[in-house]
Amino acid sequence: MSNAIRTTLKRKLVRLVLGVLSLVAFSIISLIAWLNLQTEHARLADIEQQVRANIADKANSLVENQALALRGFVSDNAFTDVQKVVESAAEHDHDIVYGLFVSADGTPWAYVSPSTKRLPGAPEPDPTEAKIALERWRELSLPPDIWRSKDSAQTMGRQFNQDLLEVSRPVLDENEVLGMIRYGFSTEPLNRALVQVRVESAHALRLTLTWVALAVLVCTLLGFVLVNREASRIVRPLMQLTQATDRIANGEKGVRVSVETNDELQALGGAFNHMQQANEDAMQKLSDAMEAALEASRLKSEFLANMSHEIRTPMNGVIGMIRLILKMPLEGKLRRYAETVDTSASALMTIINDVLDFSKMEAGKYTLQSVPFDPGTVLQEVAELLSGRAYDKAIELVYRRGADVPQIVTGDPDRYRQILNNLVGNAIKFTDHGEIFVELTLDHADEDGYTLRTIVQDTGIGISKEDQEKLFNAFSQVDGSMVRQHGGTGLGLAISKRLADMMGGQVGLVSERGVGSKFWFTITVKRSQAPTRAALSSLPQGRRAIVVEGSRRWCRIIEEHLVAWGLHCDVFQDGKPALERLQGLGPDEGYDIAVVGAQLRDVAIEAFVKGLRKKYSAKQLPLIVLTQLGATATLSEVEKEVAAQIAKPLRLSELYDCIVGTFAGTGIPVQAPRAKTRSVKNRGKRILVVDDNDINQFVATEQIETLGFGADVASNGAEAVEKIKAGTYAIVLMDCQMPVMDGYTAARTVREWEGNQRHIPIIALTAHAMAGERDKVLAAGMDDYLSKPLRTHALERMLDRYLGEDGPANDVEATQEEQVERPELDATIERSPKLIELFISRVPDNLCELENAIKTQDARRVREKAHKLKGSCLALGAEVMAYEAEALQFESEQGHLEKAAERAKVLWEQYDRVCVLLQRDPAMPARMTAE
């Protein structure tokens, strides 16, 4: 029986019956007591009436006799005889309290009262005292002129501090009133009779109630015995059922109950046995189905691993080859085709990764790592990585890290980055104007760790209430038009939700259709013992800064940090109010530094800088310009006036360094590159590529040779082992699944052969995407892991990690900056003289046609001309100019030509710069150089 059961059903039944019997007994006793009281009240009333009647009869008889006896004495004026008659009556009848005779003229002849009564054996009273007592008759409260009344009277009164029955009778002589005789009789006999009756009544009531209580007790005990017996008969089958369920809960099979009570309990027992038989049949079927499902899951996992390998192997060839093609000089249309193939292949890989991630989660094979990391750095990296996409759509991407967020925590940075990438990427995808704000805050902290909250807020299309319910379901999007317009598998949010759950957090959103969405998620991380960076020291006190930035959120964030660094700060969102502020300053009221956004809402940056320098208080004011990552500000005329350019999304540490450098007078390079310079110490060494696929061999070899290394190939593990023993390789790139001997066996064989002599780095190349693959390759003796399709930047970082002189590179940071760096003229592209001549001669005509299309607001022609111009720029390697053309193409496709004229101006300026750079190119035709 469960420990939670504290009161048995049997006890409840007994308590119920005993409660009912107690209620009935109390009711019976109360009813009997009430009836007895009513009877006694009636009896007392009858007795009282009888006693009163007896007293009254006695009194009437006495006064009648006294009236007859006194008539002769009164007629003869025998005062003494009248007094003796009255006193004699009072002495012989102890119930008489007082007696009085008054003549017709009001003269008292005889009077006896408690104060004049002579006690038995007492001497005769003194006549003088009698006379005095007679004069005190007036102490009686008698009605006035009562002695003149011809009527008899009988009343209840109170005299001498006691209740009396007062009886009066006139003494008549032939209808002549001679006087009045009056006696007061005590009611004490009545009271004694009533007290006696009450005592007898109480005794009778107690006796009755005692016998009733004994009868009720006997009946209750008899009822308890009977109820206990019947309760046992009812509870016993229920106990059997309870014990049977406990045995079933403990995993026992074949449990049945036997109940023979010829009532509903027997039917319940039969139903229980039938249900148990049905449950056992269902459990057997479920067990069989579970075994089949487990086998199917195992086959599914194996299929996913094989599918991953089979899909990624050709994708490795497609992406690798197209990247090699893109590094070659191509004509505009051919380059556009190649870029389209590369974009489509990348999109396909994203879909494949989403499906495989979701499949791993479904199979329970997805694991989390636990390493120290800086969540703010991850947020910064994601913002920089996606800022290019936001800039292409003219969306401001703003991020903020709360001041109380810890620097270093222990958790899984890759999964945190994956959720951020998905939510911010979705925000960019579904937002066409406005801004996206990403904020990292500390939600909760305790001795074990922290709960971090990240909010991604956009001004996009929003989501209705009914669509929010299905948003986090797998393979689900708001509607079909979203899939057609924006693409996607509908797995991103489902994967993000599961990742947040795995990391001890939650995911939610607040959204309104047409207004925007606010997605939030939390993760739980542990405290880390890893060392943290030193806090930024305060800047010199008393310095003042002016901030001019079109984004309200960036204004607040910059102001927050400047104030924290010890600067006094004035903030403006528009340029003209800032210039007016500078105009009104005196010579001692100036600012020490200015932080200005390149995209102001009311004035161009060049005009603002020129206006700034016209102000007396700002002629020598150091100026830091904030640009978009991947785009330079148009500062050709005033570039010398700018101390530094910093790209948004801002790295606040860069802003701090710029301000410190400005105050120190050390000077700051404009737009300092963020990319890490890689080591070339071991370029030229040979690398062994082991893969059974010819295409993969070719792609890897081309990428390795492009990076400056030599390459040999082996088709299987056995061949690789022989080549490693025969030659000297700086590193081995080992495929895992191969015929003859797979990569795992080959790696173990190499490690056994090496012993303690030397160690050749072996990097696994595998298309498997299931959890545990990294552990598997490390267990086989390999050093690291690269996933297919093999990307050049990932391969380069891996080679630098094991062959470079500076150790591992910052992978995430380098990857992002490689994606956003756009040189004005790519020096790695081979340009033929013919290509240069065509570019210089034909692009001006293309630009003129583009300007004409912009003037007529013909969005279709603008898109065509921008697309053609972009192809020409890419073929030549003019990437910044190509970027501007592509942005114009995208805006025209969306029907937004507000910035088209400004972009055309930028394209002309970029064309002039490219022409200047081309004049230094050795392939430049001599006749054009002379021109």
Side-chain angles (χ1 to χ4, degrees), residues 847 850 869 881 884-885 903-911:
L847 287 172
L850 178 63
L869 180 62
M881 189 174 179
E884 290 292 336
R903 291 199 181 278
K905 180 181 177 181
V906 173
L907 286 170
W908 275 111
E909 294 172 352
Q910 287 293 327
Y911 171 74

Side-chain angles (χ1 to χ4, degrees), residues 789-828:
L790 190 61
R791 299 182 182 274
T792 303
H793 61 80
L795 175 61
E796 184 177 7
R797 290 196 304 274
M798 187 64 71
L799 296 179
D800 281 346
R801 174 175 297 168
Y802 290 96
L803 302 181
E805 60 183 3
D806 296 329
N810 188 333
D811 296 348
V812 176
E813 183 177 338
T815 301
Q816 294 165 356
E817 287 155 5
E818 287 167 5
Q819 294 181 5
V820 298
E821 286 180 357
R822 297 184 182 92
E824 289 185 325
L825 190 63
D826 192 351
T828 63

Side-chain angles (χ1 to χ4, degrees), residues 375 400-406 409 439-446 449-454 522-525 527:
R400 176 184 179 273
R401 170 188 182 155
D404 55 351
V405 175
V409 298
E439 185 176 27
L440 171 63
T441 59
L442 178 63
D443 210 32
H444 174 71
D446 53 34
Y450 310 95
T451 299
L452 303 180
R453 177 180 293 268
T454 307
T522 59
I523 62 170
T524 302
V525 294
R527 294 180 180 269

Side-chain angles (χ1 to χ4, degrees), residues 348-388:
L348 179 59
M349 282 305 303
T350 300
I351 295 174
I352 292 172
N353 290 333
D354 282 348
V355 173
L356 291 177
D357 281 346
F358 185 76
S359 300
K360 286 187 286 184
M361 292 178 180
E362 287 287 299
K365 302 291 186 179
Y366 212 91
T367 58
L368 298 176
Q369 60 177 329
S370 182
V371 297
F373 74 100
D374 184 353
T377 300
V378 175
L379 173 61
Q380 171 186 293
E381 292 168 350
V382 171
E384 292 178 356
L385 179 64
L386 299 177
S387 62

Side-chain angles (χ1 to χ4, degrees), residues 427 430-431 435-437 456-462 515-519:
F430 296 106
T431 302
E435 71 172 11
I436 295 169
F437 178 54
V456 180
Q457 184 174 358
D458 63 58
T459 56
I461 59 177
V515 176
S517 303
K518 179 193 289 186
F519 283 82

